[in-house]
Amino acid sequence: MNEDLLRRAAEPPDVSVVVIVYNDETRLPTAVRSVLEQTLRNVEVVIVDDRSTDGSYGVARRLAAEHPDRVRAFQLDENSGGCGAPRNHGITQARGTYVLFLDSDDVLERNACRNMLEAAETTGADLVSGLCVRVHVDSRNGKEVKWYPWLYARTRTLESISELPDLLVFDTLSTNKCYRREFLVEQGLEFPVGIHYEDLLFSAQAYAAARRITLIPNRVYDWHVVDKATTKSISNRRAEIANFTHRMEIHRRVDQLLADKGLLELKFHKDVKFLKHDLVLHLRELPFRDATYRQEFAAIARDYLESIDRTAFDEVEPIHAICAYLLQKSDWDNLLPAVDTLTNRDKISAPLVERDGRIYWCAEHLDDDPDDPDGFARHVLDVTELGYHVKPVEKMFLRNVLTGYEEAAGTVRLAGRITNPLGVIPPGGRLTGELEFAARRKGVRFQTFRFPVATLRHEGEAVAWEAAADLARGLRPLGIVDAVWDVRLHLDVDGVRTTTRLTASEPGLAAGQLPVRPRLTRLVADHVTPEISSRGHLSFRIVTREKVDALVERGVRGAPGRFAKSGYRKAKEVRRKLTSGDTKLRLYHEAFSRLPLKKGLVVFESHLGRQYSDSPRAIYEEMRRQGLEFEAVWSYTGSPTGFPPDATLVRRWSLPYLKALAQAEFWVDNQSYPLKLTKRPETTYIQTWHGSALKRMGFDEPAWKLRPRPEQAEQQRTLDRFDRFLIRSEHDVRTLARAFRLKEKTLLRVGYPRNDALVQAKRREEETGLRERGALAAELGIPDDKAVLLYAPTFRQHGGRQRRFELPFDVERFADEFGDRYVLLVRSHYLNHVVLPPSVRGRVIDVSAHHDVTPLLALADGLITDYSSVMFDYALLGRPMFFFAYDYEEYVHEGRGTYFDLLERAPGPVVRTEEELHTALASLDEQAVKYAEAREGFVAEFGEYDKGNAAQSIVDQFFAQWRRG
């Protein structure tokens, strides 16, 4: 045995794992065990104790005695107060070819050392990095969050950190990495001592110095997070100004390192991350800090913000840039509201101001400033694209800042100011309000108590209010399960309601205790105290008595508590299962589909329930016009506003929706009912579809051809549900019908019901020689002397989570150049949305909210589109069409591909640039004559069955038996 120990001692380990510990005697053995149990056996543990005051060093020595060939223990002479010194000592004591770092409260994944060693040896990397996972150890569901997983999606080797700036910017950990020990020694790499955030600098130094870096997609490190820890970690002690001071100093050192190494392009990426992450962490704390802290914070931040590349402000969200700019200016009056929006993303916290047709966060800093010759302030403070100016008051989440708080005789008197952005609350508006106290816990949220707001007065940029709430008599909590009560103020403006939360922007404003009468017993609690939530909102917490707290705690942990918890979890699980998709599918197929079919029941749906529009609408209205006797059900997604009041409305995927589909005699839609719903043989499915095809569809799409056969078969089963498929030309037969593999007997050559109105409008114009604009023009406020252009582009995948569509031309320039002749209507695809600046009011109008595009087509004197199928519909009117194909090559060659070349077949000018578009729009009359023959040919080829009677034809074929008498 002694010879074996001597042999192992002479043979250097492959990997040394440096485990640092300070006052963590209970968790240290687990960390060390995760190293000793590695599948790579030739690994040593180097424990370095940072002069703990508990038994940590004793535990370390015991572990070394138990594993003399694999564990060594060291202790620093004095506590260093950080992670740097013990890790540096560990590097000097390590004997392995490679070095890893492990904190005593974390663990290594079992194969971490083997995977990292293999990657290092295979690629010759100085540094190997793997996936770190944050494990929330006190969460009930074992919550795990991967640390920047996109960096570790695959194995890759970098010859320079410049190849992947995000690695340096985001993964600043030192603990999920394996370092060649000779590399650390040769480069003199050490952690800074006496300063926090040492990982940021050490990692940056290692990245910059490494001759080769390998990333592996393997989980290597479990970072244990205790959310309810009594002692916060160093990085979470943001109430201490020293914390921010240390962070800024580390950032300066990293910036200097990048400059010395000539890696200035990495500095830009790091600036972006600083603005949207590092700074944000501390900004969110400002409402909870006093004036002294704020001034110190601003002074420290200001110098560093001056070093940030201004172009980095364009790469972050507007509110991030606004907060950073206002912090530089120490403009607290505007900064604190901005921080409120930073924390509560949907909240509108500033009164806003309109200047020169643009919307700005505040009026300050906008005027000419000799220190701002480039107009940087206007650039940063411009929030036009956020679309605040187009929101009605009921869609706004307004800042409501608490200005007064008093307690007396069980009553709390509150006062505040509600932000009035752009005067959306008119001076003469009728205002009423009420305070609502509601239990935060979901299970008892039905309990609410309301108190009237006594005073509401308009003060221009704000609405001031005052209210008194007698909590001693009016608030009746249960007492145990509803510990926290949130406060909201509902403001009614001329009968329209908006809801606000009460923001406490100054620390110490709300304090004290108020008596309450719990419903269970006063032995539990008889007072509430105000507290401020992490988002800065006022709430009240029930103050329980210490003895009762202990009793409740024992009950919760004992048998009654376990029984109650178990029952609650079971009830929650039952509810989840009953509302799950799988359960709904079973109900549809095993219960609803066995109910008798209801004769005369028709379920209508348009664009997956998003709209009351298109051919299903035209068929429905024709059925109503003819006075048929039938039961109509319309599905909707989101809000039922705009759907017909004389039909039964059901939310898509709800149980009433599924029941209606199961019993319907007819399904009528233009896209697809839920794919997994099997249609009963007795039900007739009339698929109207939503447009002829330019881009490839269905099984003609390259992506579909590559899918596995089972997936293709499943898709075909959903398409085979169609009993009738509407066709408007033989082009549809060659494209859509073939792409969906539809049988000839399914095809119904009648045209599109939605286009009946367009064909009839053209016919009336030819007969009378007059254009009838109708009520829509008046509704939109379009003057009689201006022509109407409609811009209707196709769907765009980009736009982020909000699916915002950026107009591909300067809409303000368009309005300035053509506003005296045209009114431009902008209708984005129903899956996108667009925001117009206020400067174009009256000249450019967003009509995207109009469910049905047909009335807009009928109104327009000319159409501007790209590849949208509206081109086939609008052509029926015989009016000018313009094709703005600014991304034609990308759309055709990088997308699905097209059935024909639009450049050759377009019945109007195809333009690529804004200049070309403006030139083409110079004269509608000229374009109308020039392309008249092309439009006729286009209609003949793509709209040959659109005769203006499609809806009537369908009613005659399928629903005539329901005519009265």
Side-chain angles (χ1 to χ4, degrees):
M1 182 66 181
N2 290 335
E3 291 181 4
D4 187 46
L5 287 176
L6 290 172
R7 181 181 59 78
R8 290 189 183 183
E11 181 182 301
D14 290 323
V15 177
S16 295
V17 180
V18 177
V19 182
I20 63 170
V21 60
Y22 176 70
N23 286 355
D24 198 16
E25 58 182 322
T26 58
R27 291 181 293 189
L28 176 61
T30 302
V32 172
R33 192 180 310 117
S34 76
V35 182
L36 297 177
E37 293 177 355
Q38 287 288 300
T39 54
L40 179 70
R41 301 304 297 168
N42 192 21
V43 178
E44 74 162 351
V45 182
V46 178
I47 305 174
V48 182
D49 176 66
D50 195 15
R51 205 70 187 183
S52 297
T53 57
D54 69 351
S56 294
Y57 185 52
V59 172
R61 294 181 64 185
R62 176 174 58 78
L63 290 168
E66 292 174 354
H67 307 277
D69 57 332
R70 302 190 66 191
V71 179
R72 292 180 292 140
F74 303 89
Q75 187 179 49
L76 299 186
D77 293 335
E78 59 183 24
N79 177 252
S80 68
C83 301
R87 284 179 183 159
N88 291 339
H89 189 76
I91 294 173
T92 63
Q93 297 296 333
R95 299 180 303 197
T97 307
Y98 297 91
V99 177
L100 274 73
F101 300 106
L102 174 64
D103 293 345
S104 61
D105 52 346
D106 301 328
V107 296
L108 290 181
E109 193 277 332
R110 192 164 179 265
N111 299 294
C113 291
R114 178 180 296 280
N115 289 331
M116 300 179 96
L117 174 67
E118 181 180 337
E121 295 288 270
T122 302
T123 64
D126 290 327
L127 186 161
V128 175
S129 190
L131 180 65
C132 171
V133 177
R134 287 169 58 95
V135 180
H136 294 257
V137 294
D138 55 353
S139 68
R140 288 183 295 179
N141 301 319
K143 176 183 174 184
E144 294 186 351
V145 179
K146 295 178 181 178
W147 187 255
Y148 302 113
W150 79 84
L151 296 171
Y152 300 98
R154 59 183 176 86
T155 300
R156 53 179 157 177
T157 299
L158 312 174
E159 300 298 328
S160 167
I161 187 61
S162 297
E163 296 177 29
L164 187 61
D166 279 358
L167 184 61
L168 178 140
V169 170
F170 291 99
D171 189 358
T172 56
L173 301 177
S174 65
T175 48
N176 60 334
K177 297 171 178 60
C178 173
Y179 310 85
R180 193 182 298 274
R181 184 164 60 88
E182 286 185 6
F183 162 69
L184 296 178
V185 174
E186 288 174 0
Q187 296 294 329
L189 293 182
E190 290 186 339
F191 289 87
V193 178
I195 188 170
H196 302 322
Y197 302 104
E198 58 279 306
D199 267 21
L200 273 70
L201 181 57
F202 182 83
S203 295
Q205 291 171 330
Y207 285 141
R211 289 157 294 195
R212 186 169 293 162
I213 302 168
T214 294
L215 309 182
I216 60 175
N218 308 86
R219 179 174 183 164
V220 298
Y221 194 93
D222 283 5
W223 177 358
H224 286 172
V225 179
V226 182
D227 295 309
K228 300 174 183 177
T230 54
T231 302
K232 289 186 176 181
S233 65
I234 291 171
S235 60
N236 285 326
R237 297 174 195 164
R238 288 187 283 273
E240 303 170 8
I241 196 66
N243 184 290
F244 187 61
T245 304
H246 285 206
R247 187 187 286 270
M248 290 298 92
E249 176 59 26
I250 287 293
H251 273 285
R252 289 188 185 91
R253 294 188 191 183
V254 173
D255 291 346
Q256 187 61 53
L257 167 72
L258 297 178
D260 293 343
K261 294 284 186 178
L263 299 172
L264 295 180
E265 74 279 6
L266 297 183
K267 168 71 162 58
F268 172 78
H269 293 280
K270 182 176 161 297
D271 285 347
V272 172
K273 194 242 184 176
F274 175 81
L275 289 175
K276 68 181 183 182
H277 176 73
D278 300 70
L279 184 61
V280 168
L281 291 175
H282 294 270
L283 283 171
R284 287 175 175 160
E285 299 291 318
L286 289 183
F288 305 100
R289 306 292 165 241
D290 59 24
T292 301
Y293 178 98
R294 292 174 185 173
Q295 294 300 331
E296 286 188 63
F297 176 82
I300 296 168
R302 192 179 301 113
D303 290 340
Y304 188 75
L305 286 170
E306 290 292 341
S307 72
I308 286 184
D309 189 330
R310 282 190 167 185
T311 58
F313 283 70
D314 292 333
E315 301 299 319
V316 300
E317 293 184 32
I319 194 62
H320 293 152
I322 289 168
C323 286
Y325 177 81
L326 295 174
L327 179 62
Q328 278 185 277
K329 298 295 183 181
S330 293
D331 182 354
W332 297 104
D333 289 341
N334 288 306
L335 173 59
L336 290 176
V339 171
D340 197 2
T341 294
L342 184 70
T343 305
N344 303 277
R345 288 303 175 85
D346 296 327
K347 187 181 288 188
I348 305 176
S349 298
L352 309 178
V353 62
E354 182 177 347
R355 292 276 184 87
D356 304 321
R358 307 294 292 177
I359 304 299
Y360 297 95
W361 184 260
C362 56
E364 291 77 10
H365 320 293
L366 298 182
D367 295 328
D368 292 338
D369 183 346
D371 296 329
D372 186 22
D374 299 324
F376 183 63
R378 284 194 172 228
H379 180 68
V380 170
L381 298 174
D382 190 332
V383 292
T384 309
E385 297 302 319
L386 297 181
Y388 292 143
H389 59 286
V390 299
K391 286 188 175 184
V393 67
E394 65 269 21
K395 297 288 187 181
M396 290 182 168
F397 177 25
L398 300 175
R399 174 175 165 90
N400 184 354
V401 63
L402 196 65
T403 58
Y405 183 98
E406 295 179 2
E407 295 177 359
T411 296
V412 58
R413 298 186 181 279
L414 304 170
R417 287 171 58 83
I418 301 172
T419 298
N420 184 16
L422 300 171
V424 69
I425 305 173
R430 180 172 52 85
L431 306 179
T432 60
E434 65 177 4
L435 287 177
E436 177 187 271
F437 289 72
R440 180 176 298 175
R441 188 165 180 170
K442 291 181 180 180
V444 290
R445 195 169 287 175
F446 61 87
Q447 277 196 302
T448 58
F449 300 94
R450 296 181 174 87
F451 304 88
V453 175
T455 302
L456 282 162
R457 60 181 178 274
H458 199 286
E459 295 185 352
E461 292 187 343
V463 171
W465 61 271
E466 297 172 6
D470 186 351
L471 300 187
R473 296 184 178 181
L475 184 64
R476 297 296 309 280
L478 291 174
I480 296 177
V481 296
D482 51 353
V484 181
W485 289 74
D486 292 317
V487 190
R488 293 171 175 82
L489 189 150
H490 300 296
L491 176 67
D492 284 7
V493 182
D494 292 328
V496 176
R497 169 167 289 197
T498 185
T499 298
T500 69
R501 299 293 302 271
L502 275 56
T503 297
S505 62
E506 295 297 330
L509 177 62
Q513 283 193 358
L514 288 150
V516 292
R517 296 185 298 161
R519 293 170 184 260
L520 294 180
T521 171
R522 291 192 182 184
L523 291 174
V524 174
D526 59 4
H527 283 82
V528 293
T529 185
E531 70 175 21
I532 309 304
S533 72
S534 60
R535 293 185 175 273
H537 297 142
L538 177 67
S539 60
F540 287 85
R541 178 176 292 275
I542 296 176
V543 183
T544 56
R545 304 178 184 218
E546 293 183 7
K547 291 184 179 180
V548 175
D549 280 347
L551 181 64
V552 170
E553 181 70 15
R554 286 199 300 271
V556 167
R557 292 187 176 181
R562 287 194 298 271
F563 179 77
K565 285 182 182 178
S566 174
Y568 174 73
R569 283 195 294 267
K570 287 178 180 178
K572 193 174 181 180
E573 180 64 16
V574 167
R575 182 179 178 183
R576 185 190 66 78
K577 288 182 177 179
L578 285 176
T579 56
S580 70
D582 290 340
T583 300
K584 288 181 175 180
L585 285 173
R586 285 200 302 272
L587 279 171
Y588 174 83
H589 289 107
E590 298 174 13
F592 296 154
S593 292
R594 295 181 180 178
L595 296 172
L597 199 78
K598 294 181 71 173
K599 291 292 184 179
L601 174 59
V602 187
V603 179
F604 297 89
E605 185 171 287
S606 178
H607 292 304
L608 308 179
R610 291 183 175 91
Q611 298 179 355
Y612 172 56
S613 67
D614 213 77
S615 292
R617 173 178 180 171
I619 295 172
Y620 171 76
E621 292 181 350
E622 177 65 18
M623 294 171 71
R624 287 298 190 203
R625 187 188 68 79
Q626 293 193 24
L628 302 188
E629 293 181 342
F630 69 105
E631 182 181 351
V633 171
W634 269 92
S635 86
Y636 69 91
T637 298
S639 169
T641 303
F643 285 82
D646 56 354
T648 300
L649 307 183
V650 294
R651 186 181 296 277
R652 199 171 195 265
W653 262 115
S654 66
L655 294 182
Y657 170 79
L658 297 176
K659 186 171 182 287
L661 283 175
Q663 293 189 277
E665 187 176 356
F666 286 91
W667 292 0
V668 180
D669 94 312
N670 66 351
Q671 198 156 340
S672 177
Y673 287 108
L675 301 181
K676 294 185 178 180
L677 300 184
T678 302
K679 182 184 70 67
R680 294 169 70 166
E682 308 95 317
T683 301
T684 299
Y685 189 166
I686 301 175
Q687 173 57 258
T688 70
W689 203 240
H690 51 275
S692 297
L694 168 62
K695 57 190 174 187
R696 294 188 178 274
M697 304 291 293
F699 290 102
D700 287 345
E701 295 181 49
W704 268 108
K705 292 178 180 179
L706 298 175
R707 294 196 181 187
R709 287 187 178 180
E711 285 190 31
Q712 292 192 32
E714 181 65 25
Q715 176 69 4
Q716 189 61 57
R717 279 193 290 272
T718 66
L719 296 170
D720 288 343
R721 295 181 303 175
F722 304 159
D723 294 298
R724 290 290 188 271
F725 187 90
L726 270 55
I727 295 295
R728 61 191 303 249
S729 71
E730 288 305 305
H731 168 77
D732 292 351
V733 177
R734 295 188 298 270
T735 55
L736 292 171
R738 187 188 68 182
F740 295 156
R741 299 173 181 173
L742 302 177
K743 297 180 175 64
E744 174 63 30
K745 66 179 183 180
T746 304
L747 308 183
L748 198 61
R749 292 171 169 84
V750 296
Y752 282 172
R754 73 181 185 192
N755 288 339
D756 290 348
L758 302 180
V759 176
Q760 293 164 11
K762 171 80 178 306
R763 193 173 295 151
R764 285 193 302 271
E765 287 177 29
E766 292 175 341
E767 292 172 354
T768 65
L770 299 174
R771 277 284 311 278
E772 296 179 5
R773 283 192 163 181
L776 182 57
E779 177 188 331
L780 297 174
I782 298 174
D784 293 336
D785 62 342
K786 290 186 181 180
V788 178
L789 294 176
L790 173 65
Y791 178 51
T794 192
F795 172 62
R796 290 298 195 278
Q797 288 283 359
H798 49 73
R801 187 176 60 182
Q802 301 298 325
R803 290 178 174 175
R804 179 170 296 152
F805 173 61
E806 299 290 342
L807 289 173
F809 56 88
D810 186 338
V811 69
E812 291 177 285
R813 179 189 170 196
F814 185 98
D816 291 341
E817 187 164 337
F818 294 108
D820 59 337
R821 284 181 281 170
Y822 304 140
V823 171
L824 178 67
L825 308 181
V826 176
R827 189 180 193 272
S828 62
H829 189 278
Y830 68 91
L831 293 176
N832 294 128
H833 80 273
V834 68
V835 174
L836 298 176
S839 59
V840 300
R841 284 193 193 107
R843 299 176 293 172
V844 183
I845 304 171
D846 180 12
V847 292
S848 304
H850 284 251
H851 276 204
D852 207 343
V853 71
T854 302
L856 298 170
L857 295 175
L859 173 62
D861 297 289
L863 173 71
I864 306 170
T865 187
D866 43 17
Y867 325 106
S868 172
S869 64
V870 296
M871 71 173 76
F872 301 106
D873 306 314
Y874 190 78
L876 297 169
L877 291 163
R879 302 172 191 166
M881 302 167 68
F882 307 85
F883 297 86
F884 189 21
Y886 58 92
D887 56 353
Y888 186 74
E889 280 74 20
E890 177 186 346
Y891 185 85
V892 172
H893 301 300
E894 298 180 19
R896 304 181 194 171
T898 59
Y899 286 115
F900 62 87
D901 189 345
L902 181 65
L903 301 181
E904 296 179 359
R905 310 276 282 280
V910 180
V911 296
R912 302 296 193 93
T913 67
E914 189 171 348
E915 297 297 334
E916 292 176 351
L917 177 63
H918 283 208
T919 300
L921 292 173
S923 173
L924 286 182
D925 293 338
E926 179 183 336
Q927 299 296 339
V929 174
K930 183 177 180 180
Y931 288 91
E933 186 176 342
R935 288 195 299 273
E936 289 179 6
F938 196 78
V939 171
E941 182 173 4
F942 299 108
E944 59 187 299
Y945 301 128
D946 279 321
K947 303 301 182 184
N949 61 348
Q952 182 178 343
S953 176
I954 290 171
V955 172
D956 289 344
Q957 292 186 55
F958 297 98
F959 308 115
Q961 70 275 16
W962 297 340
R963 290 193 177 101
R964 292 187 178 93

